[in-house]
Amino acid sequence: PPPKLVEFCREFEQNYVEHRRCVLLNQARDILRNHDYHNTISVGVDEEQSGEDPTMAIFLLHRSSVSEVASQIMALLRQTMKESVQMPATPPTLRPTLYKTSREMLSLFRAIIPASHGHEVATVPRTAAVLHNDCIYFAHHCLTLGLEFKEKYTAEDARGKLLQQSCIFVDLVPLFRELADQSMGDMLDVQADQLVDIVGSRITYLGQALQSNESLHEWSEAETALAAGIYHLRHLAQSWRPILSQRIFAQSMGHLADVVLTLYWKQVTPQSSSIVISANARHFLLGLFRKASEDLNELFGKGHSSSLPQRCIEDCSSEWGRFQALVQFLDMSNLTQVQAALANGVFRQVAGFELSRWIQAVYHEDHPERRILLQSLSSTAMS
């Protein structure tokens, strides 16, 4: 026979295997490059209705939205793995190549999506959340994909036995989790910086203005800044609530709520014992912070049961407990109420020196009850 025919027959199996690999990877590349990354579908189970043992909840994929691109890549990957385990032992390199191709599809996703949509991921909150969910989705499936398919390989030859031993996807889990943390973490940093610009720049002199007994421009600026900050958080909630799982949504919004609360906390906590907060300023702060509490409760609780909002805020906002303690302090009319609240643990998240500064600023008249309470706080802080 002609030499070219002999060479073709000799390399036919290897060429077929390589052609099959290229066809599958081209399908994956077409999905990643040509399909709209903004279209999403819902996956996972509801956290309250999972019905699973709580100790096994970590292995559940909680209800969230992922891109149709990620869903189609996973479907193609599973189809490729099924083809791999169903193939006969000949040609000998086909099954290992299909397994390798399945892993390469995930590598294509990690390479193409961040490069193609990098600007949107860095600037658009919804796109960052979608990429985060896609990575969590792949990481969740990679935990069990190897176990699901490795036993389906027949151990007819050495290659089959080797596939049974080496068929894993779990090594890709850290890579996807790292990309998920990076995409969402960077976006949270961007949003936190924006909140500092929106809120912080307007309340720079609020602490000094609280010494006045008359309404000042800084007071109205503080109201405007808080309204702008809450509006920004609402805008983010509208983008993230349909995409993120309840837990990640609450943690993300709690982190950003802490940014706003911390900015106000630093302004209203006196920096020295000589600073006085006027009575009118105290009533102004009480009304302002009550409104903030209502808005944040509504922000966290929209679409959930009435018992959920408060629990979510307390669990996901590290500043919420201190903020509520400040609201209660401002609502107290005398030191006897302050002392009773202190005994009941109302101020357990407030540092002793911070409570002392509040007392000195609001109850600035020197009398025995005030001295005893301040001495008690000072001795507690020293111990």
Side-chain angles (χ1 to χ4, degrees), residues 324-350 355 358-359 363 369 373 377:
Q324 290 303 300
L326 174 58
V327 173
Q328 293 185 54
F329 175 83
L330 294 172
D331 196 30
M332 296 173 187
S333 58
N334 54 63
L335 285 172
T336 302
Q337 294 179 343
V338 175
Q339 194 162 6
L342 182 62
N344 292 330
V346 172
F347 304 112
R348 58 184 176 275
Q349 296 187 36
V350 180
L355 184 55
W358 292 352
I359 293 172
Y363 303 96
E369 187 178 8
L373 184 54
L377 290 171

Side-chain angles (χ1 to χ4, degrees), residues 49-345:
Q49 302 174 358
S50 60
E52 296 287 339
D53 183 350
T55 59
M56 301 297 291
I58 190 175
F59 298 105
L60 293 176
L61 180 64
H62 294 149
R63 177 73 65 186
S64 59
S65 295
V66 301
S67 66
E68 292 183 356
V69 169
S71 177
Q72 292 176 21
I73 289 293
M74 181 53 63
L76 181 61
L77 185 153
R78 286 186 169 276
Q79 176 185 335
T80 304
M81 285 301 298
K82 288 179 181 179
E83 182 179 347
S84 177
V85 299
Q86 293 171 358
M87 282 293 174
T90 55
T93 59
L94 181 56
R95 291 187 299 173
T97 300
L98 290 176
Y99 161 62
K100 177 184 175 183
T101 303
S102 299
R103 292 174 57 90
E104 289 174 331
M105 291 176 185
L106 298 176
S107 298
L108 279 177
F109 178 90
R110 290 191 297 112
I112 293 177
I113 294 301
S116 301
H117 303 278
H119 179 71
E120 283 190 62
V121 171
T123 57
V124 181
R126 185 183 185 276
T127 307
V130 171
L131 178 57
H132 169 273
N133 286 0
D134 285 353
C135 293
I136 295 299
Y137 174 72
F138 284 128
H140 171 78
H141 284 282
C142 286
L143 284 172
T144 56
L145 268 175
L147 296 174
E148 179 181 346
F149 286 101
K150 68 187 304 181
E151 297 300 328
K152 296 180 180 180
Y153 283 108
T154 57
E156 299 176 358
D157 56 3
R159 291 181 185 271
K161 293 179 180 179
L162 183 61
L163 282 171
Q164 285 185 338
Q165 298 172 1
S166 61
C167 179
I168 61 170
F169 289 84
V170 72
D171 59 309
L172 299 175
V173 171
L175 299 177
F176 278 109
R177 286 181 175 171
E178 181 181 358
L179 182 55
D181 292 342
Q182 179 183 349
S183 61
M184 200 63 191
D186 289 349
M187 178 52 63
L188 287 175
D189 290 341
V190 169
Q191 298 305 318
D193 290 341
Q194 290 185 9
L195 284 170
V196 171
D197 291 337
I198 293 171
V199 178
S201 60
R202 292 177 174 175
I203 61 172
T204 305
Y205 301 105
L206 175 62
Q208 300 176 16
L210 294 176
Q211 300 181 60
S212 172
N213 207 32
E214 297 180 0
S215 178
L216 300 179
H217 174 70
E218 285 78 6
W219 294 16
S220 60
E221 278 290 280
E223 290 181 312
T224 303
L226 184 59
I230 296 296
Y231 176 82
H232 189 81
L233 291 176
R234 284 201 184 102
H235 179 72
L236 289 174
Q238 291 176 355
S239 298
W240 284 345
R241 193 185 296 277
I243 303 297
L244 296 172
S245 66
Q246 289 184 16
R247 181 175 304 176
I248 300 300
F249 171 80
Q251 290 176 349
S252 300
M253 297 304 297
H255 171 75
L256 295 177
D258 283 345
V259 175
V260 177
L261 297 181
T262 301
L263 290 171
Y264 278 91
W265 178 272
K266 291 179 179 179
Q267 288 296 322
V268 302
T269 301
Q271 300 302 309
S272 69
S273 58
S274 61
I275 295 179
V276 174
I277 297 178
S278 68
N280 285 345
R282 174 184 169 188
H283 292 304
F284 161 74
L285 289 177
L286 179 59
L288 181 68
F289 292 159
R290 277 179 172 171
K291 180 65 166 58
S293 298
E294 294 173 0
D295 290 340
L296 288 174
N297 270 300
E298 179 185 358
L299 184 68
F300 276 76
K302 185 179 179 181
H304 300 294
S305 62
S306 59
S307 63
L308 187 61
Q310 188 73 10
R311 177 173 63 84
C312 278
I313 297 176
E314 289 181 348
D315 291 345
C316 303
S317 170
S318 59
E319 297 296 324
W320 182 255
R322 295 205 302 169
F323 183 72
Q324 290 303 300
L326 174 58
V327 173
Q328 293 185 54
F329 175 83
L330 294 172
D331 196 30
M332 296 173 187
S333 58
N334 54 63
L335 285 172
T336 302
Q337 294 179 343
V338 175
Q339 194 162 6
L342 182 62
N344 292 330

